[in-house]
Amino acid sequence: MEQTNIQLLLFNAIKNRDLKEIHQTLDQYLNDTDIEDRLFWVERYDAILKELEKKAATYPEEELFWLDIMRAFIDVVPR
């Protein structure tokens, strides 16, 4: 899976607020790609997402949770 493809898949899953699809995309990429060939930002986003999910219950509104998921994606994807 090339960088543009995974970016687009993750972007669409985030846009659709589909947490299951985000996890499936990340899991597929991380399982199908050799460790030395993985894009650093994908591994970083996976780790950040797991941390955000641990804190999900502390968000006063679901909207804020999704905003943080979107911000994390924007922050980790290389420009």
Side-chain angles (χ1 to χ4, degrees):
M1 191 180 296
E2 60 187 56
Q3 179 166 325
T4 305
N5 191 28
I6 191 160
Q7 282 177 311
L8 185 58
L9 290 171
L10 287 171
F11 174 79
N12 286 329
I14 294 166
K15 184 174 71 173
N16 295 327
R17 295 183 178 200
D18 189 343
L19 200 53
K20 182 178 177 183
E21 183 67 27
I22 294 170
H23 282 295
Q24 286 175 344
T25 302
L26 289 170
D27 290 345
Q28 180 184 358
Y29 175 82
L30 294 173
N31 291 333
D32 293 350
T33 308
D34 292 334
I35 291 174
E36 59 273 351
D37 295 331
R38 288 182 187 163
L39 299 167
F40 174 77
W41 71 265
V42 177
E43 292 179 313
R44 183 70 188 126
Y45 184 66
D46 186 51
I48 292 170
L49 184 62
K50 288 176 183 171
E51 288 300 315
L52 289 173
E53 286 182 293
K54 286 179 188 176
K55 298 187 290 185
T58 64
Y59 284 89
E61 299 176 27
E62 185 179 0
E63 182 73 22
L64 297 175
F65 173 69
W66 281 102
L67 284 172
D68 278 352
I69 287 176
M70 289 180 227
R71 280 188 201 117
F73 180 72
I74 291 168
D75 287 346
V76 298
V77 173
R79 291 163 178 67

